[in-house]
Amino acid sequence: MEQTIVPTYGAMAENAPILSAAEIVEFDENLDSLYFTDNQRRIDYVLVYEDETMKEHIAKKSFLKQKKKRQAYESNLIKSGLHLEATRSVSDGKIIFVKVHAPWEVLCTYAEVMHIKLPLQPNDLRKHQSAFNCFTKIFRVSEDIIKPEQEFFTAPFEKDRIDDFYIQDKETFFTPATRSRIVHFILSRVEYAIKENVKKFGINKLLDSGIYKAAFPLHDCNFNAVSVDSRCPSERYILYKQWAHPFSILKFQPLDLVRKYYGEKVGIYFAWLGFYTRMLIVAAVVGVACFLYGVKSQETCTWSKEVCDPSIGGSIIMCPQCDKACNYWYLNITCESSKKLCIFDSFGTLVFAVFMGIWVTLFLEFWKRRQAELEYEWDTVEFLEQEEQPLPEYEAKCTHVVKNRITQQEEHVPYTAFGKCLRVTCCTSAVFFWILLIVASVVGIIVYRLSVFLVFSATLPRAVNGTNVEAIQKYLTPQTATTITASIISFIIIMLLNMLYEKVAIIITDFELPRTRTEYENSLTTKMFLFQFVNYYSSCFYIAFFKGKIVGYPGDPVYWFGKYRNEECDPGGCLLELTTQLTIIMGGKAIWNNIQEILVPWVKNLISRCRSSGSKAVLPRWEADYLLQPAGKLGLFYEYLEMVIQFGFVTLFVASFPLAPVLALVNNLLEIRVDAWKITTQWRRMVPEKAQDIGAWQPIMEGVAILAVVTNAMIIAFTSDMIPRLVYYWSFSVPPYGNYTTNTMQGYINNTLSVFSVSDFQSESKPVAVNWFNPTVCRYRDFRYPPGHEHQYEHSVYYWHVVAAKLSFLIVMEHIVYFVKFIIAYIIPDVSNETKDKIKREKYLTQKLLHERHLRVMKKQMGGLADRFLKGMDISMINKED
């Protein structure tokens, strides 16, 4: 259709074309109305702007520019076939609401352009009833409240074959969600100006430039009250009561209604989140069982008892863990941490790590099956190939002509091959720069830990004589204080860098100029996850696999940058510190996100309501929705990101913290309802969008699942003390290396702490402040020969046994778990046979239906000639068979 383009940004010329404008009408006091004042035409979209003539402190030139662009845009909307009607705000006369209606012809035209699939005939396939329905009925919303939607066979809409489609009522043939989606498609592509031969178009640019203040589809009613209009189904109210309300926390989600009201993209997110949460129940139960096993094993934890025994741990003098400022200390001051470590560093940890490696495979494989079912039920099987349109920003810059290798026809693209290569290079370099920035922040945290440990060692008193141990000295050791403060600082840095990188990632992705919305989101997803992966997990990787691994020994310590002495683990190992780090980050992140998701939109909406309550307390539907918060350009992207980061914590480091699935389960039960409450009560209605799957998040989770097997095996092998204990029990507690007649854990602590002669200290590392008699020897955590041995301070045979056992365990565990994962993935098909049959059956019946209707039309038009023609074809076929 011909559109009016404003040629310049100057004053309107005298001979400028007459622009059509939205008719301004008075509000008819019908608060719940979703229709124009004629009560016939449905409001499919609302545009909001501030009347320039009533603005204060605005330059006349700027006022004319904005008004001219808006008038040209609305004129082109009308020429595109849309109906517009304007109404002033009842609370602020400067605000004008432009209501948009798409008539039947426009809907049909753009439904064909967008390849939207619409009903052909009711679905006659039987729906399989699960055997568990009778048990899960109490958790489902009653069908009297949410009636099941009638299912149809569908096909891409074509105006020429409109009679083939199941049209009982033109008003309901296109659902409100579909109508809004079509109108948004038009709004995103209508032009409004031209500058230097570059066309300006789309509602997004008008919003960014402030010409319009908002653009959104309407909610169908208030969330806490049923609409008085009988034509309104009050689906928002139903969703709030049966889905978003806190009392519905244990109910199954009404996913079909969520999909119908918000679109497939929102529906698929909540379907995935609900499925993930249900799968966490199994992991949480096993995790709690392993945790209880660890608690029970405290009673028989021999090595912990030796640490706490005054005659063993109370007599072992440990070497200082830093230079000069640190003093000698008795081993038994770590008694409490050794008891806690018994809970997490037990045989149950190994069982749980193997279980989680299998669990994550089952989760991903069963989700693929569930996703395939939703693709069929929600009619998105062929969405990407048929329906998804290029982004307006991509289309606007398609100035280069290339030849399609397949069709051999000319196509327009936004950049040449060299230009694309240059963009990819620049974007990749920017991403790596920001990742290196995160690595630098991690190094800064490590330096902080090394330097502050000196301070805590000098200021926190140690009970070197084993008497008068105060409670604070008992629990707050220098290692614990360093760990807690470093974890808190790390968490703060993580959140600050997150906020900064989000903006950078969007700028980089916009510069890349992806073709479709799916490509845009997948590109942004990859960048954001790479950054978040390094940001959230780097400190955990450091503690698990680097801290305490290369420290040397007291006579020859290893230094960072030649200045900071490398950190050592507690005598019990770094596993407990990793558990502390995970608890702080997981718990802090969950609390922060939930507070942010609840309070921020609620406070903003409260402020908006207070500002608008001066004239009237009750507002029309469009004005009430305008006061809500916009959903944001990325929709539920950040919700996905939050959950996948949590998925990483649950899988990558679960060997150190078996209660991680429990925390994730509790958080997710709240997260589902918080997200539902937020989008139902605090956000404007989002533009319904199609989505076939969860996009790039699926391969990301698959990559995390593969990495999780390695990290958990390495945590057990290199971070926990399970392997050294097993080596001692089976080999070094009995002859020829040990003195016990039977395998035992007695003597483990004394056997695994090496001896160091105080006289071998270097001058720069020898402790300065010694407040009691000087010891001749001290102990440290390592497997080295004692002083006086021909290989003194070199690694002992015990060390090489332990290294061999760790590597053997790592290889065996990885191969076993990977093999089981492969078998499970092979056995469980991505699409069930039942779903495959349904898809084939629907395709067959759809083709048959369209073919039969075409024949009936042809017979009706040709009459007897068609009968004779078909009869002749049948006779010729019989003759050929004979």
Side-chain angles (χ1 to χ4, degrees):
M1 297 182 183
E2 185 182 355
Q3 295 185 359
T4 301
I5 306 298
V6 178
T8 67
Y9 289 165
M12 186 75 75
E14 294 181 2
N15 58 350
I18 299 176
L19 303 178
S20 304
E23 179 187 1
I24 297 182
V25 298
E26 293 294 327
F27 174 50
D28 60 3
E29 302 297 330
N30 189 352
L31 299 177
D32 282 342
S33 177
L34 301 176
Y35 294 85
F36 281 17
T37 52
D38 60 13
N39 211 26
Q40 298 296 322
R41 291 174 291 175
R42 183 183 181 91
I43 302 172
D44 299 315
Y45 223 90
V46 175
L47 308 177
V48 186
Y49 70 91
E50 189 173 354
D51 190 351
E52 292 86 353
T53 60
M54 303 181 68
K55 285 185 179 179
E56 298 178 359
H57 310 295
I58 182 171
K60 184 177 180 181
K61 187 176 180 181
S62 175
F63 150 74
L64 289 174
K65 284 181 181 179
Q66 291 190 353
K67 183 176 181 180
K68 187 164 56 174
K69 291 178 187 176
R70 193 189 67 253
Q71 287 178 340
Y73 183 71
E74 292 182 6
S75 178
N76 288 332
L77 289 179
I78 294 173
K79 290 184 178 181
S80 297
L82 298 178
H83 296 175
L84 306 183
E85 182 181 86
T87 303
R88 287 193 180 274
S89 167
V90 298
S91 61
D92 184 355
K94 296 191 296 291
I95 302 298
I96 295 178
F97 296 89
V98 180
K99 295 166 280 186
V100 184
H101 167 77
W104 172 258
E105 283 299 322
V106 172
L107 293 172
C108 291
T109 300
Y110 282 93
E112 183 172 4
V113 171
M114 298 169 66
H115 303 286
I116 295 177
K117 299 174 83 172
L118 292 167
L120 285 171
Q121 74 170 27
N123 190 336
D124 60 354
L125 295 177
R126 274 189 170 184
K127 195 169 183 179
H128 176 70
Q129 295 294 329
S130 172
F132 298 99
N133 279 357
C134 56
F135 300 104
T136 60
K137 187 176 181 180
I138 57 174
F139 299 107
R140 298 183 184 276
V141 180
S142 173
E143 292 186 358
D144 296 331
I145 299 174
I146 302 179
K147 295 181 180 179
E149 292 291 321
Q150 186 178 8
E151 296 185 2
F152 293 91
F153 294 128
T154 61
F157 186 78
E158 297 179 30
K159 289 179 69 175
D160 294 340
R161 309 178 73 169
I162 194 169
D163 293 335
D164 293 339
F165 289 87
Y166 189 78
I167 305 176
Q168 289 189 318
D169 185 357
K170 288 184 177 181
E171 294 298 321
T172 59
F173 179 65
F174 292 98
T175 64
T178 304
R179 297 176 68 101
S180 298
R181 187 171 150 224
I182 291 174
V183 172
H184 179 75
F185 180 87
I186 300 172
L187 294 175
S188 299
R189 285 160 175 79
V190 167
E191 300 166 355
Y192 61 86
I194 187 168
K195 183 179 182 181
E196 298 175 356
N197 295 324
V198 177
K199 293 180 180 179
K200 304 291 183 180
F201 64 91
I203 187 62
N204 291 333
K205 289 185 178 179
L206 292 171
L207 289 170
D208 292 340
S209 61
I211 295 174
Y212 283 102
K213 298 176 71 67
F216 52 88
L218 290 179
H219 282 295
D220 64 354
C221 66
N222 289 320
F223 72 87
N224 55 0
V226 178
S227 175
V228 297
D229 191 338
S230 60
R231 292 173 293 180
C232 174
S234 299
E235 290 173 347
R236 184 191 186 194
Y237 171 79
I238 296 172
L239 284 172
Y240 172 70
K241 285 295 184 181
Q242 305 299 327
W243 179 48
H245 198 279
F247 291 161
S248 302
I249 192 169
L250 297 179
K251 286 185 179 180
F252 289 162
Q253 300 182 83
L255 292 175
D256 288 333
L257 184 58
V258 174
R259 170 250 180 172
K260 177 185 176 185
Y261 191 76
Y262 289 111
E264 285 76 9
K265 180 167 283 189
V266 174
I268 200 75
Y269 164 73
F270 282 102
W272 171 79
L273 182 55
F275 185 85
Y276 171 45
T277 303
R278 289 198 297 274
M279 288 293 291
L280 277 175
I281 295 174
V282 181
V285 170
V286 178
V288 170
C290 292
F291 176 77
L292 294 177
Y293 174 84
V295 173
K296 184 68 176 176
S297 66
Q298 273 187 308
E299 302 173 1
T300 57
C301 189
T302 305
W303 66 270
S304 177
K305 291 180 179 179
E306 289 185 349
V307 171
C308 299
D309 191 339
S311 61
I312 301 176
S315 63
I316 295 177
I317 301 173
M318 300 297 294
C319 297
Q321 290 188 309
C322 65
D323 295 337
K324 294 185 179 181
C326 297
N327 206 340
Y328 301 101
W329 51 285
Y330 279 117
L331 178 63
N332 65 344
I333 71 168
T334 63
C335 175
E336 293 301 320
S337 62
S338 69
K339 290 179 180 178
K340 297 173 186 174
L341 193 60
C342 286
I343 299 174
F344 300 104
D345 194 3
S346 65
F347 179 72
T349 300
L350 172 60
V351 174
F352 190 56
V354 174
F355 167 79
M356 287 301 292
I358 298 171
W359 173 88
V360 71
T361 304
L362 291 172
F363 162 63
L364 293 174
E365 293 302 318
F366 282 126
W367 166 246
K368 289 178 185 176
R369 290 168 64 90
R370 175 59 178 152
Q371 187 171 255
E373 292 174 4
L374 291 175
E375 285 180 20
Y376 168 76
E377 293 173 5
W378 293 353
D379 216 8
T380 61
V381 175
E382 298 174 347
F383 159 67
L384 292 180
E385 293 79 6
Q386 292 184 353
E387 292 188 40
E388 193 164 27
Q389 303 293 322
L391 290 170
E393 294 81 4
Y394 179 90
E395 292 178 325
K397 297 189 177 181
C398 288
T399 56
H400 299 278
V401 179
V402 297
K403 183 176 288 188
N404 190 301
R405 294 182 180 180
I406 299 174
T407 64
Q408 295 298 308
Q409 295 180 350
E410 290 187 347
E411 291 182 348
H412 288 81
V413 294
Y415 34 64
T416 61
F418 174 76
K420 183 175 182 180
C421 181
L422 184 63
R423 286 172 183 266
V424 171
T425 302
C426 293
C427 293
T428 304
S429 302
V431 170
F432 276 109
F433 168 77
W434 281 92
I435 289 177
L436 289 175
L437 183 63
I438 294 300
V439 174
S441 71
V442 174
V443 173
I445 292 293
I446 294 172
V447 172
Y448 165 81
R449 299 171 70 103
L450 298 176
S451 57
V452 83
F453 181 75
L454 296 173
V455 178
F456 285 135
S457 298
T459 55
L460 291 178
R462 291 180 182 267
V464 294
N465 57 2
T467 59
N468 301 322
V469 180
E470 297 179 3
I472 190 170
Q473 298 171 339
K474 190 176 181 181
Y475 293 100
L476 191 61
T477 63
Q479 294 96 333
T480 304
T482 302
T483 298
I484 293 175
T485 55
S487 298
I488 294 173
I489 293 173
S490 177
F491 173 72
I492 294 172
I493 291 176
I494 284 171
M495 301 311 295
L496 290 176
L497 287 175
N498 274 352
M499 291 186 288
L500 183 62
Y501 185 74
E502 285 172 6
K503 296 179 173 56
V504 174
I506 292 172
I507 294 172
I508 295 173
T509 308
D510 289 341
F511 179 73
E512 279 183 3
L513 203 62
R515 181 177 178 273
T516 64
R517 183 72 179 177
T518 299
E519 291 178 7
Y520 182 93
E521 291 183 354
N522 288 347
S523 178
L524 181 62
T525 297
T526 304
K527 293 180 184 64
M528 285 295 293
F529 183 78
L530 282 174
F531 175 82
Q532 300 278 17
F533 185 91
V534 178
N535 199 14
Y536 277 109
Y537 303 142
S538 54
S539 59
C540 294
F541 273 99
Y542 165 72
I543 294 171
F545 306 124
F546 296 100
K547 182 182 177 183
K549 301 300 184 290
I550 308 175
V551 296
Y553 62 96
D556 186 22
V558 177
Y559 291 88
W560 276 68
F561 312 114
K563 181 179 180 181
Y564 298 103
R565 180 170 168 175
N566 208 350
E567 277 189 290
E568 296 183 34
C569 291
D570 230 21
C574 284
L575 191 69
L576 189 61
E577 186 173 342
L578 179 59
T579 303
T580 304
Q581 181 83 356
L582 281 172
T583 305
I584 289 176
I585 293 181
M586 274 192 73
K589 183 175 179 294
I591 294 171
W592 171 263
N593 286 336
N594 283 320
I595 289 176
Q596 192 177 31
E597 289 181 7
I598 293 174
L599 286 185
V600 171
W602 182 79
V603 170
K604 287 183 177 179
N605 287 334
L606 182 63
I607 294 172
S608 298
R609 287 194 296 269
C610 291
R611 287 177 178 175
S612 64
S613 61
S615 57
K616 290 193 178 183
V618 183
L619 303 173
R621 176 79 274 125
W622 48 87
E623 191 161 351
D625 284 6
Y626 171 64
L627 297 178
L628 298 177
Q629 295 304 303
K633 293 182 179 180
L634 298 178
L636 294 171
F637 171 82
Y638 296 109
E639 277 68 24
Y640 269 119
L641 183 62
E642 177 187 349
M643 288 296 101
V644 173
I645 292 295
Q646 182 207 85
F647 175 79
F649 281 121
V650 169
T651 54
L652 289 173
F653 307 102
V654 75
S656 66
F657 190 38
L659 293 180
V662 179
L663 293 182
L665 175 62
V666 174
N667 176 75
N668 288 7
L669 288 173
L670 296 174
E671 182 73 23
I672 292 173
R673 306 305 162 178
V674 168
D675 286 346
W677 172 83
K678 179 174 61 179
I679 70 171
T680 304
T681 67
Q682 304 300 308
W683 282 6
R684 297 170 190 158
R685 188 173 182 176
M686 292 183 285
V687 179
E689 294 183 69
K690 281 275 189 179
Q692 190 174 23
D693 48 37
I694 61 174
W697 299 113
Q698 182 76 27
I700 285 174
M701 288 192 294
E702 291 173 352
V704 170
I706 293 172
L707 182 61
V709 177
V710 180
T711 56
N712 284 302
M714 291 181 67
I715 287 172
I716 294 173
F718 298 106
T719 309
S720 79
D721 266 359
M722 184 176 296
I723 302 302
R725 289 200 300 269
L726 290 174
V727 171
Y728 176 81
Y729 180 82
W730 290 108
S731 299
F732 284 79
S733 63
V734 293
Y737 302 108
N739 301 320
Y740 295 96
T741 56
T742 59
N743 299 100
T744 180
M745 284 301 296
Q746 292 182 4
Y748 170 75
I749 291 296
N750 187 62
N751 193 271
T752 55
L753 293 176
S754 299
V755 179
F756 178 76
S757 175
V758 173
S759 60
D760 293 331
F761 268 122
Q762 297 180 10
S763 58
E764 60 268 17
S765 58
K766 189 173 184 179
V768 175
V770 179
N771 55 4
W772 60 299
F773 63 90
N774 289 324
T776 57
V777 295
C778 60
R779 310 294 290 273
Y780 62 99
R781 179 183 170 81
D782 207 342
F783 305 108
R784 296 178 183 268
Y785 289 115
H789 193 277
E790 57 178 334
H791 300 292
Q792 70 173 5
Y793 303 136
E794 294 182 6
H795 286 120
S796 65
V797 64
Y798 192 168
Y799 171 82
W800 298 112
H801 275 72
V802 169
V803 169
K806 286 182 175 181
L807 293 176
S808 301
F809 170 81
L810 181 64
I811 294 171
V812 171
M813 178 179 171
E814 281 184 4
H815 280 67
I816 290 176
V817 176
Y818 279 137
F819 178 75
V820 174
K821 284 168 68 70
F822 172 78
I823 295 297
I824 292 173
Y826 179 79
I827 292 175
I828 303 174
D830 293 348
V831 184
S832 65
N833 290 331
E834 182 183 359
T835 303
K836 288 180 181 177
D837 292 340
K838 286 181 178 179
I839 294 172
K840 291 177 182 177
R841 172 70 175 165
E842 180 173 353
K843 283 185 177 180
Y844 166 74
L845 291 177
T846 301
Q847 292 174 357
K848 181 181 177 182
L849 176 65
L850 292 174
H851 179 67
E852 288 177 349
R853 287 190 176 181
H854 183 67
L855 286 179
R856 284 199 299 270
V857 171
M858 187 175 70
K859 284 181 65 176
K860 184 177 180 181
Q861 292 176 347
M862 299 181 65
L865 179 61
D867 291 334
R868 291 193 296 272
F869 174 73
L870 294 174
K871 185 176 181 181
M873 288 184 61
D874 294 338
I875 294 172
S876 63
M877 291 293 293
I878 293 171
N879 291 336
K880 285 183 180 181
E881 291 176 0
D882 294 340

